[in-house]
Amino acid sequence: MDIRDIRETQLRLLHRLLPDDRPQDLAVRQGQFHLVVMGAERVVCLPRTPAAAARLPRRETGLRELAGLGLGFRTPEPLARGGGRGADEPPFLVLDRIPGEPLEPAALQDARVADAVAAQYADLLSALERAGADPRARAVLSRPPRDRWGRFADGVRAELFVLMSDGGRRRAERELGALDGVPHLARAVVHGDLGAENVLWEWERGLPRLCGVLDWDDVELGDPAEDLAALDASYDRGFLERVLARDSRAEDGLSARVAAIRGTFALQQALQAVRDGDEEELMDGLSGYR
C-alpha cells in the first residue's frame, strides 16, 4: 500500500500533521485496525473503522501509562489526537517515530544473530512479566475476564459459524477445544500482538539490537503465553525454543498454552473484524474456514 491509496480528506490531514515530509516519502502500512503513515519523525494512525476510532482514547492512555513503567525499550509516545465525530477532519492519533525496522526471519539463519535476538526477546518478555506486578500497571491496565476463552468460543460459534463451511466449523471446533485447558492468568503485561512486524531493531557490529515495540492496541494484564504465541507465529518453532531456553521462569504447560492460543489467531482476527464491521479483515481471517 502507498500514499496514493489514501483518501483525499486523509491526505489533507497528513499535509497538516506532517508538514515537513514530502508525500512521496511517506510509507504506509495497513494494520488490522489502522492505516499507519510514517514520516521521518512522526507516525499518524488513521482508524480503518468507527469502532477502531472509538478505541483511540484508550490507546493513547495506555501508551502514556506504558512510558512510565521502565520496560527497558521504547514504546511510541502520543503527541496529538483529534478529528472524528463533529470535527472537520478524520480521527487520528500522532505518535513519535521509533528508529529501526522489523527483523526479517531469514536473518535468524545465522546462529549468532538468532542467539542475540532470542536473548533480547527473553529480556523483553521478562520486563513485561515484571511490569505485570507493578502497582501502576495493575491499576490502569484491564484484565481479561475469568471466562475469557469460553466467551471467545461462544462468540465464534454465534457470529462466525454461519460464515463457515462444514469443514471450517469442524476445524474451528478443534481449535476452540484446545482452549479448554488454558487457565486464567493475569500476571504479566501482555502486548497482544507481539509479532515480528511490531518489534524494531537496529544493527550494531553485525548484530541486531532491539529498539522498541509498536502497536499496543490490545495491551492488558494476562498470560505471557499470548505474546509467545505471536512470536511463534512469526518465526519457526526452533526459535521459540531458543527464547524459552533463556527464561528460567518458563513453567510446565507453557508450550501447550502457546500452541492452543496460536491455533486461534485467525479466529480472533475474524471475530474482532466482524464486530468492527471490517469486511477485508474478516475475509482474511476466515480464509481457511470457507
Side-chain angles (χ1 to χ4, degrees), residues 1-7 10-11 13-14 27-38 43-49 52 56 59 91-93 95 217 278 280-281:
M1 188 172 190
D2 62 33
I3 198 67
R4 291 172 295 182
D5 299 310
I6 300 293
R7 298 197 304 268
Q10 293 172 325
L11 285 173
L13 173 65
L14 292 172
V28 183
R29 187 184 76 169
Q30 179 170 309
Q32 182 173 356
F33 304 120
H34 306 96
L35 293 178
V36 180
V37 182
M38 293 172 283
V43 173
V44 180
C45 300
L46 302 170
R48 297 181 57 217
T49 65
L56 280 184
R59 185 183 192 201
F92 65 86
L93 178 64
L95 309 171
D217 283 19
D278 190 329
E280 183 177 351
E281 287 291 318

Side-chain angles (χ1 to χ4, degrees), residues 192-235:
D193 188 13
L194 199 64
E197 70 279 3
N198 288 327
V199 183
L200 301 182
W201 306 79
E202 288 187 323
W203 288 80
E204 295 181 352
R205 300 179 181 178
L207 293 174
R209 177 180 63 83
L210 195 154
C211 298
V213 181
L214 310 176
D215 197 2
W216 293 82
D217 283 19
D218 297 322
V219 63
E220 63 178 6
L221 295 172
D223 185 348
E226 296 183 51
D227 283 340
L228 285 164
L231 180 60
D232 193 26
S234 293
Y235 302 108

